[in-house]
Short mmCIF file of all heavy atoms in Angstrom, two decimals:
data_model
loop_
_atom_site.label_atom_id
_atom_site.label_comp_id
_atom_site.label_asym_id
_atom_site.label_seq_id
_atom_site.Cartn_x
_atom_site.Cartn_y
_atom_site.Cartn_z
N GLY A 267 120.19 98.80 107.77
CA GLY A 267 120.25 100.16 108.30
C GLY A 267 118.94 100.70 108.81
O GLY A 267 118.69 101.91 108.79
N ALA A 268 118.07 99.80 109.32
CA ALA A 268 116.73 100.24 109.74
C ALA A 268 116.77 101.26 110.88
O ALA A 268 115.77 101.93 111.14
CB ALA A 268 115.88 99.03 110.14
N TYR A 269 117.92 101.38 111.56
CA TYR A 269 118.01 102.40 112.62
C TYR A 269 117.95 103.80 112.02
O TYR A 269 117.76 104.77 112.73
CB TYR A 269 119.25 102.20 113.50
CG TYR A 269 120.58 102.40 112.82
CD1 TYR A 269 121.26 103.62 112.91
CD2 TYR A 269 121.20 101.38 112.11
CE1 TYR A 269 122.49 103.81 112.30
CE2 TYR A 269 122.42 101.55 111.49
CZ TYR A 269 123.06 102.77 111.60
OH TYR A 269 124.28 102.94 110.98
N LYS A 270 118.12 103.90 110.69
CA LYS A 270 118.03 105.19 110.02
C LYS A 270 116.66 105.40 109.35
O LYS A 270 116.46 106.40 108.67
CB LYS A 270 119.14 105.31 108.97
CG LYS A 270 120.53 105.42 109.58
CD LYS A 270 121.62 105.53 108.52
CE LYS A 270 122.13 104.14 108.15
NZ LYS A 270 123.31 104.16 107.26
N PHE A 271 115.74 104.43 109.52
CA PHE A 271 114.41 104.56 108.91
C PHE A 271 113.79 105.88 109.36
O PHE A 271 113.89 106.22 110.53
CB PHE A 271 113.52 103.38 109.36
CG PHE A 271 112.13 103.40 108.76
CD1 PHE A 271 111.89 102.81 107.54
CD2 PHE A 271 111.09 104.02 109.42
CE1 PHE A 271 110.61 102.83 106.98
CE2 PHE A 271 109.81 104.04 108.88
CZ PHE A 271 109.57 103.45 107.66
N PRO A 272 113.10 106.67 108.53
CA PRO A 272 112.78 106.38 107.14
C PRO A 272 113.78 106.89 106.11
O PRO A 272 113.46 106.97 104.93
CB PRO A 272 111.45 107.10 106.96
CG PRO A 272 111.59 108.32 107.82
CD PRO A 272 112.46 107.91 108.98
N LYS A 273 115.02 107.21 106.55
CA LYS A 273 116.01 107.61 105.54
C LYS A 273 116.41 106.42 104.68
O LYS A 273 116.92 106.58 103.58
CB LYS A 273 117.25 108.19 106.21
CG LYS A 273 116.99 109.57 106.78
CD LYS A 273 118.25 110.15 107.36
CE LYS A 273 117.91 111.43 108.10
NZ LYS A 273 119.09 111.99 108.75
N VAL A 274 116.28 105.23 105.22
CA VAL A 274 116.36 104.03 104.40
C VAL A 274 115.00 103.35 104.48
O VAL A 274 114.22 103.62 105.39
CB VAL A 274 117.48 103.07 104.86
CG1 VAL A 274 118.83 103.75 104.87
CG2 VAL A 274 117.16 102.50 106.21
N ALA A 275 114.73 102.46 103.53
CA ALA A 275 113.35 101.99 103.37
C ALA A 275 112.98 100.81 104.27
O ALA A 275 111.82 100.50 104.41
CB ALA A 275 113.12 101.61 101.91
N THR A 276 113.97 100.15 104.87
CA THR A 276 113.66 98.96 105.67
C THR A 276 113.18 99.37 107.06
O THR A 276 113.91 100.03 107.79
CB THR A 276 114.89 98.05 105.79
OG1 THR A 276 115.33 97.71 104.47
CG2 THR A 276 114.57 96.79 106.58
N PRO A 277 111.97 98.98 107.44
CA PRO A 277 111.47 99.33 108.78
C PRO A 277 111.87 98.30 109.83
O PRO A 277 112.26 97.18 109.49
CB PRO A 277 109.95 99.32 108.58
CG PRO A 277 109.72 98.29 107.52
CD PRO A 277 110.96 98.26 106.65
N VAL A 278 111.79 98.68 111.09
CA VAL A 278 111.92 97.71 112.18
C VAL A 278 110.93 98.12 113.25
O VAL A 278 110.73 99.31 113.51
CB VAL A 278 113.38 97.64 112.70
CG1 VAL A 278 113.83 98.92 113.38
CG2 VAL A 278 113.55 96.45 113.66
N PHE A 279 110.29 97.12 113.86
CA PHE A 279 109.31 97.40 114.93
C PHE A 279 110.04 97.43 116.27
O PHE A 279 110.88 96.58 116.55
CB PHE A 279 108.24 96.30 114.95
CG PHE A 279 107.38 96.34 116.19
CD1 PHE A 279 106.32 97.24 116.28
CD2 PHE A 279 107.63 95.50 117.26
CE1 PHE A 279 105.54 97.30 117.43
CE2 PHE A 279 106.85 95.55 118.41
CZ PHE A 279 105.80 96.45 118.49
N ILE A 280 109.75 98.43 117.09
CA ILE A 280 110.33 98.51 118.43
C ILE A 280 109.20 98.70 119.43
O ILE A 280 108.40 99.62 119.30
CB ILE A 280 111.31 99.70 118.55
CG1 ILE A 280 112.47 99.56 117.56
CG2 ILE A 280 111.86 99.80 119.99
CD1 ILE A 280 113.39 98.40 117.83
N GLY A 281 109.13 97.82 120.40
CA GLY A 281 108.11 97.95 121.44
C GLY A 281 108.55 98.91 122.54
O GLY A 281 109.66 99.43 122.53
N LYS A 282 107.65 99.14 123.50
CA LYS A 282 108.01 99.96 124.67
C LYS A 282 108.79 99.12 125.67
O LYS A 282 109.71 99.60 126.31
CB LYS A 282 106.73 100.51 125.33
CG LYS A 282 106.11 101.68 124.58
CD LYS A 282 105.20 102.46 125.53
CE LYS A 282 104.75 103.77 124.91
NZ LYS A 282 103.92 103.55 123.68
N LYS A 283 108.36 97.85 125.80
CA LYS A 283 109.03 96.96 126.74
C LYS A 283 109.39 95.68 126.00
O LYS A 283 108.51 94.95 125.56
CB LYS A 283 108.11 96.63 127.92
CG LYS A 283 107.79 97.84 128.78
CD LYS A 283 106.90 97.45 129.94
CE LYS A 283 106.62 98.69 130.80
NZ LYS A 283 105.80 98.36 131.98
N ALA A 284 110.69 95.43 125.89
CA ALA A 284 111.15 94.30 125.07
C ALA A 284 111.78 93.23 125.94
O ALA A 284 112.48 93.54 126.91
CB ALA A 284 112.16 94.79 124.04
N ALA A 285 111.52 91.97 125.60
CA ALA A 285 112.20 90.85 126.26
C ALA A 285 113.10 90.17 125.24
O ALA A 285 112.65 89.81 124.16
CB ALA A 285 111.17 89.86 126.79
N VAL A 286 114.37 90.01 125.59
CA VAL A 286 115.30 89.25 124.75
C VAL A 286 115.51 87.92 125.45
O VAL A 286 115.91 87.89 126.62
CB VAL A 286 116.63 90.00 124.58
CG1 VAL A 286 117.60 89.18 123.75
CG2 VAL A 286 116.41 91.37 123.96
N ILE A 287 115.20 86.83 124.75
CA ILE A 287 115.32 85.50 125.35
C ILE A 287 116.69 84.92 125.02
O ILE A 287 117.02 84.78 123.84
CB ILE A 287 114.24 84.52 124.81
CG1 ILE A 287 112.87 85.21 124.69
CG2 ILE A 287 114.17 83.27 125.67
CD1 ILE A 287 112.28 85.69 125.96
N GLY A 288 117.47 84.59 126.05
CA GLY A 288 118.81 84.07 125.83
C GLY A 288 119.84 85.03 126.42
O GLY A 288 119.50 86.17 126.74
N ALA A 289 121.09 84.56 126.57
CA ALA A 289 122.09 85.40 127.23
C ALA A 289 123.47 85.25 126.61
O ALA A 289 124.48 85.37 127.28
CB ALA A 289 122.13 85.10 128.72
N GLY A 290 123.50 84.97 125.31
CA GLY A 290 124.78 84.95 124.61
C GLY A 290 125.13 86.35 124.12
O GLY A 290 124.42 87.31 124.39
N ASN A 291 126.23 86.44 123.37
CA ASN A 291 126.63 87.76 122.85
C ASN A 291 125.57 88.33 121.91
O ASN A 291 125.35 89.54 121.87
CB ASN A 291 127.97 87.65 122.12
CG ASN A 291 129.11 87.43 123.09
OD1 ASN A 291 129.19 88.08 124.13
ND2 ASN A 291 129.98 86.49 122.77
N VAL A 292 124.91 87.45 121.15
CA VAL A 292 123.87 87.92 120.24
C VAL A 292 122.71 88.53 121.02
O VAL A 292 122.17 89.57 120.64
CB VAL A 292 123.38 86.77 119.34
CG1 VAL A 292 122.25 87.23 118.43
CG2 VAL A 292 124.52 86.20 118.50
N ALA A 293 122.36 87.92 122.15
CA ALA A 293 121.29 88.46 122.98
C ALA A 293 121.66 89.84 123.51
O ALA A 293 120.83 90.77 123.50
CB ALA A 293 120.99 87.51 124.14
N MET A 294 122.92 90.00 123.94
CA MET A 294 123.36 91.32 124.43
C MET A 294 123.29 92.35 123.30
O MET A 294 122.84 93.48 123.51
CB MET A 294 124.81 91.24 124.97
CG MET A 294 125.00 90.29 126.13
SD MET A 294 123.94 90.67 127.55
CE MET A 294 123.68 89.03 128.20
N ASP A 295 123.74 91.95 122.12
CA ASP A 295 123.69 92.87 120.97
C ASP A 295 122.25 93.28 120.67
O ASP A 295 121.97 94.46 120.42
CB ASP A 295 124.29 92.20 119.73
CG ASP A 295 125.81 92.10 119.79
OD1 ASP A 295 126.41 92.79 120.64
OD2 ASP A 295 126.38 91.34 119.00
#
Side-chain angles (χ1 to χ4, degrees):
Chain A
Y269 66 96
K270 291 179 269 187
F271 182 88
K273 287 183 188 177
V274 303
T276 303
V278 66
F279 167 81
I280 300 294
K282 283 201 170 63
K283 295 181 179 182
V286 178
I287 318 297
N291 289 316
V292 177
M294 299 303 148
D295 286 345

